[in-house]
Amino acid sequence: DKCRCLRMVPPAAQVAELVDDGAYEDALALCAAAELERRLPAAVDVAAIEERYAYALYSRGDFEGAVQHWLAADGSPADVAALFPALCPPGLVAHQPRDDDDAASSPEKREALRHPPQLRQASLSRAAAAVTRYLEATREKLAARTTAGHRRAQADDDALRLVDTVLVSARLHCSPPRVGDVVDLLKAPDQRCELEAVAPLLAAGGPAYAEPLLWLYRSKGQHSRALSMLVEERCCGPPTPDADKAADKTAAHEGTWDRPRFARWKARYLRALWFSGDPRLAALALDAAASLFDLAPTLGLAVFTAARVEDAADPDDDHARLAPLRAGGAGTPPQDVVAWMKKLDLSGRPAPSPAAAKDDLLLDSGNAVAIAYLEFLVARGERLELLHNELAYLLLDGLLKATHPDRDAAYRTRLRAFLKTSARYKAETVLSWLPDDLPGEKALVLARLGRHDDVLALYADHLRDDALAEAYCAEVWERADAARTLRLAHADDDDQPPDDEAALSVYLRLARRYVGPAADPPAASAAGADYSEAGLDKAMSLVSRHVARVDPVAALELLPQGVSFARVADFAARLLRLAESGARDATVEHQLLRVHYVDLKYELTQHQLRQQSTISAVPELARLGKLKRSLPPVPLSDHLEEPYDVACVPHVFEGHLALQFRVTNNAPGHRLQNVRVRVESLGDADLYAHDAEVPLNLLPYKSTGSCYVVFRTFPTLGTVVTSFANELRFAVLPDHLNPSRSSPLAHPRDGPA
């Protein structure tokens, strides 16, 4: 009998045998199992097996499976791209491996290079989808290295350039072409597509690939090339019926541009150039914007005003970044832009829709576009007087030339709003432009000049609009009153400029205009003038309703002689009620201020007491030098009947002794003034010489403060014990008595020191 000994073939040998037999899946499964049991030798190259399996699957036409194993092998993307020459752009300079490049290359790789599968139509689309998946995953790996904080090596940068370039081509060869994904890639700030390799491929696609081609030029800074092809004939397809558009909204991003979408993209692109901060790019945007105004003036204006350009299916992602910017057009003065806009010829545009809002400004001329741009600049804080004057002139010109009521209203509304809110135009110049048949606009300019009488004449006499005149008085008076209040809060005197005096008397000026010549009764009587009863009533009604805003004496002086009391009864009654109300308000305010004063005074006293109770904070004791030590407090008031507690704290300095007396006032209704302690030494007078004292000025009820007595000390031999006689002195100030009626009191006390 024979005994046979069976030995396990080493895992490495098993893996090699399986690979040689083409059983790649079994070999990889064995590697995974051995790795779990930690029996896989280091010599087994799992990545090489994955790569050999990928090449074998590629030769069979299984591109999806091959891509999966190429990703697992983490090989060179250049080798994979070279296996799909139909997917590589013609201008791409890539590594093209040959079967004799590497003698050690696997037989599967050599076979794949000798006999590549034929890629046509369906197989080409399938290969494109698989390669796209491989390149997208590879791109994520390369981007992750940079995101993790690693500096991108030159090899990674070259690999990313190859991956992005081939990825564009692969996505376009998919069925259907993934144009939207190509656009997203070209918009990415980290893409590295080769311009000269991708541009011919996109250009060959015609209008369907116009957007990715434009993004390619834009991402590479080739703005001149982008603008040269950004014309409707090269970017837009043939017109389609509206029904077809409505049925295919979801595919709009993948298809050819229609005219509105082309115009929106162009507007956003030119807007980005205008607000880039680069004078060269701003000049390119200005040169190319004229054609956009021919397509859609609203979009053309958005280039210069950073307005939002979007619809439901096409969001405006750049608007949030551009909106906070003050103004664009670096290197181009705004007055030059205005002059350029005024030359725009929009006469060939179709008539605007009648459904437009009444106050909308129709962009039907270069002047209208310039007005909209100037309004944008003024809203952003433009301070140049020339531009403000230009806006006023253009609005006035549009108003005078308007032939339709809606256009008249649009220009009139804008002109009045500008004249009322802007403080930068030259009022004298604008006033000279205004004709007499625009009294409302003239009144706004006269108000800027402070000519209140002229304004009231226009409102009350020319327009006969009492409500408008009274509203003007209210606005002027409130503005002047606010300025006066602010000035009084920051100045010691109440002098006010003449302009403010005229503004504060604006109600009387209107009342005087109602009364007429009654303001000068002798002259009026000599002239035989008759006074309008209605005017008198109107004037008295005005000053009665605004009695708090007029000088009552000046108001009564406006009345002609012989006016009955019945005419002024309402005014007098309101004036009396105002006076009574003012007296009550003054009393309440006085009491509130009195309470506030008492609180502040109490807080000040407490602060002073706390400060004087800290020996280092007493200025009079600073000359004593550094404190050597402080002894424990000695109570001195244990036997006193009066409610005044006193404790003494000795402080020892070099050559001086300072006695701090802490006094507490427990006497209800009493305030102590000039609190001090008289101290006499009961021992050897040559040891202590009185040097100074620091009294306590005021001690309210339930408060504790400190006063000090300072002695000069002399050197002694040994320990000396002595006593002092202490006498507390102060003046009592009852809360209901005047300080001049205070009475001094003294409380003696002996104590050791």
Side-chain angles (χ1 to χ4, degrees):
D1 293 338
K2 294 183 180 179
C3 241
R4 296 187 179 183
C5 181
L6 301 178
R7 292 186 177 87
M8 174 77 70
V9 176
Q14 295 182 53
V15 170
E17 184 176 353
L18 289 173
V19 171
D20 292 340
D21 291 342
Y24 306 102
E25 291 187 5
D26 294 339
L28 292 174
L30 180 60
C31 289
E35 187 175 6
L36 288 176
E37 299 177 4
R38 299 183 179 180
R39 295 188 300 108
L40 183 65
V44 177
D45 190 352
V46 179
I49 300 174
E50 297 276 9
E51 187 178 59
R52 293 180 66 177
Y53 191 18
Y55 280 110
L57 293 174
Y58 166 79
S59 298
R60 302 173 198 166
D62 185 1
F63 307 121
E64 294 80 3
V67 162
Q68 179 180 351
H69 292 284
W70 270 320
L71 289 174
D74 196 17
S76 170
D79 291 344
V80 177
L83 296 173
F84 300 91
L87 300 179
C88 294
L92 177 65
V93 179
H95 171 64
Q96 300 289 338
R98 296 176 301 170
D99 57 351
D100 57 349
D101 278 351
D102 188 359
S105 60
S106 64
E108 292 84 357
K109 181 177 181 179
R110 291 194 294 270
E111 178 64 20
L113 293 174
R114 288 194 191 100
H115 306 288
Q118 299 297 320
L119 301 179
R120 297 187 183 90
Q121 297 180 354
S123 60
L124 180 61
S125 299
R126 206 162 40 81
V131 172
T132 296
R133 176 179 165 230
Y134 169 77
L135 294 176
E136 288 174 345
T138 303
R139 192 177 195 283
E140 290 181 2
K141 292 181 181 179
L142 295 174
R145 296 178 187 175
T146 304
T147 306
H150 301 290
R151 185 177 180 181
R152 181 180 291 159
Q154 183 62 39
D156 288 347
D157 196 68
D158 294 341
L160 185 60
R161 184 179 298 107
L162 172 71
V163 167
D164 286 348
T165 304
V166 179
L167 182 56
V168 171
S169 177
R171 284 173 170 172
L172 295 178
H173 281 86
C174 292
S175 181
R178 296 169 57 180
V179 181
D181 292 338
V182 173
V183 170
D184 293 338
L185 173 64
L186 296 175
K187 290 168 63 175
D190 61 341
Q191 60 92 0
R192 294 291 186 274
C193 293
E194 290 189 10
L195 174 65
E196 301 305 330
V198 176
L201 176 65
L202 296 174
Y209 295 167
E211 184 178 7
L213 180 57
L214 288 169
W215 275 110
L216 176 66
Y217 288 145
R218 183 172 173 177
S219 65
K220 300 303 179 181
Q222 301 292 319
H223 300 289
S224 297
R225 295 176 66 176
L227 292 174
S228 66
M229 72 158 292
L230 193 57
V231 293
E232 188 175 350
E233 294 75 11
R234 299 184 61 180
C235 298
C236 297
T240 57
D242 294 339
D244 295 341
K245 292 181 182 179
D248 197 25
K249 286 183 178 179
T250 57
H253 187 61
E254 303 293 342
T256 305
W257 275 347
D258 56 11
R259 186 176 183 184
R261 190 163 169 228
F262 163 77
R264 289 195 299 270
W265 196 96
K266 185 174 183 178
R268 294 178 189 172
Y269 180 35
L270 297 182
R271 184 186 61 186
L273 296 180
W274 182 252
F275 285 91
S276 65
D278 188 335
R280 183 180 60 86
L281 300 183
L284 289 175
L286 186 63
D287 292 339
S291 58
L292 186 59
F293 280 98
D294 295 334
L295 289 172
T298 304
L299 294 179
L301 181 62
V303 172
F304 302 94
T305 61
R308 187 180 295 275
V309 179
E310 67 177 352
D311 55 27
D314 200 7
D316 187 355
D317 298 329
D318 293 335
H319 178 263
R321 177 179 58 85
L322 299 176
L325 299 179
R326 181 176 181 272
T332 305
Q335 52 268 33
D336 292 351
V337 180
V338 172
W340 176 85
M341 289 179 171
K342 290 164 63 177
K343 297 177 182 178
L344 292 173
D345 183 10
L346 304 181
S347 57
R349 293 281 306 159
S353 171
K358 180 178 179 180
D359 292 336
D360 286 347
L361 181 65
L362 300 179
L363 302 179
D364 56 353
S365 65
N367 283 0
V369 173
I371 288 173
Y373 177 63
L374 287 169
E375 288 179 337
F376 161 76
L377 294 179
V378 170
R380 290 291 180 101
E382 178 59 54
R383 304 172 64 88
L384 188 61
E385 182 185 274
L386 175 65
L387 295 178
H388 285 254
N389 290 343
E390 181 70 19
L391 178 55
Y393 179 82
L394 292 176
L395 287 171
L396 177 60
D397 182 67
L399 176 60
L400 297 177
K401 294 179 179 179
T403 57
H404 192 277
D406 289 347
R407 297 195 181 188
D408 180 279
Y411 282 105
R412 188 181 299 274
T413 301
R414 280 170 162 75
L415 178 59
R416 289 187 174 181
F418 172 74
L419 295 177
K420 185 175 182 179
T421 58
S422 173
R424 296 291 171 183
Y425 64 87
K426 192 171 183 179
E428 295 83 355
T429 302
V430 175
L431 184 62
S432 66
W433 296 338
L434 293 171
D436 293 335
D437 58 348
L438 295 178
E441 289 72 16
K442 293 190 71 172
L444 294 174
V445 181
L446 290 170
R448 266 285 314 278
L449 295 172
R451 294 165 56 176
H452 305 302
D453 289 330
D454 294 336
V455 176
L456 295 175
L458 286 172
Y459 287 153
D461 299 340
H462 187 87
L463 296 177
R464 298 189 179 279
D465 191 337
D466 296 333
L468 194 58
E470 193 167 338
Y472 174 75
C473 292
E475 179 182 352
V476 171
W477 189 92
E478 290 169 0
R479 185 168 57 246
D481 183 63
R484 178 179 59 179
T485 303
L486 183 62
R487 184 175 59 256
L488 293 177
H490 294 84
D492 297 331
D493 55 76
D494 14 341
D495 294 338
Q496 57 188 15
D499 291 344
D500 283 358
E501 294 181 2
L504 292 172
S505 63
V506 65
Y507 282 102
L508 292 177
R509 293 171 180 269
L510 180 57
R512 183 181 295 111
R513 182 161 296 280
Y514 288 153
V515 174
D520 189 4
S525 299
D530 294 328
Y531 304 107
S532 170
E533 297 291 333
L536 287 176
D537 293 339
K538 192 184 299 184
M540 291 311 302
S541 174
L542 175 69
V543 296
S544 296
R545 285 183 284 106
H546 302 284
V547 64
R549 298 183 175 186
V550 299
D551 181 359
V553 176
L556 293 176
E557 290 177 350
L558 294 176
L559 301 177
Q561 296 180 356
V563 175
S564 64
F565 180 76
R567 289 187 178 274
V568 298
D570 183 53
F571 174 71
R574 295 191 184 210
L575 184 60
L576 181 60
R577 288 195 296 269
L578 178 66
E580 293 174 349
S581 176
R584 289 193 298 270
D585 293 344
T587 301
V588 173
E589 184 178 4
H590 171 75
Q591 296 298 332
L592 292 175
L593 291 176
R594 177 64 181 171
V595 172
H596 185 57
Y597 165 76
V598 172
D599 291 341
L600 289 178
K601 187 175 181 180
Y602 176 79
E603 292 295 333
L604 176 62
T605 302
Q606 294 300 318
H607 174 73
Q608 292 173 343
L609 291 176
R610 288 191 297 271
Q611 184 178 17
Q612 189 161 336
S613 296
T614 304
I615 190 171
S616 60
V618 181
E620 293 85 350
L621 303 181
R623 63 182 179 83
L624 301 182
K626 184 178 180 181
L627 176 65
K628 297 178 65 175
R629 67 180 181 277
S630 297
L631 302 180
V634 178
L636 302 179
S637 56
D638 50 352
H639 73 288
L640 294 180
E641 296 180 359
E642 286 76 7
Y644 308 116
D645 295 334
V646 183
C648 179
V649 181
H651 302 282
V652 180
F653 294 86
E654 186 67 36
H656 288 86
L657 173 66
L659 300 180
Q660 177 183 2
F661 295 94
R662 295 177 179 171
V663 183
T664 302
N665 178 14
N666 294 320
H670 284 188
R671 291 180 297 157
L672 307 185
Q673 186 182 39
N674 194 22
V675 181
R676 56 193 178 87
V677 176
R678 181 181 177 184
V679 182
E680 292 184 0
S681 174
L682 301 180
D684 190 351
D686 295 335
L687 296 180
Y688 298 95
H690 186 276
D691 186 42
E693 66 178 27
V694 181
L696 182 60
N697 294 330
L698 186 67
L699 185 62
Y701 171 62
K702 285 295 184 182
S703 299
T704 300
S706 298
C707 57
Y708 298 86
V709 177
V710 180
F711 289 92
R712 187 184 301 110
T713 60
F714 302 96
T716 60
L717 296 176
T719 302
V720 179
V721 178
T722 187
S723 297
F724 294 90
N726 307 299
E727 184 180 39
L728 179 63
R729 292 177 174 269
F730 53 84
V732 178
L733 297 176
D735 287 342
H736 63 283
L737 294 181
N738 189 281
S740 61
R741 301 174 59 187
S742 60
S743 57
L745 296 176
H747 293 268
R749 175 70 172 115
D750 295 341

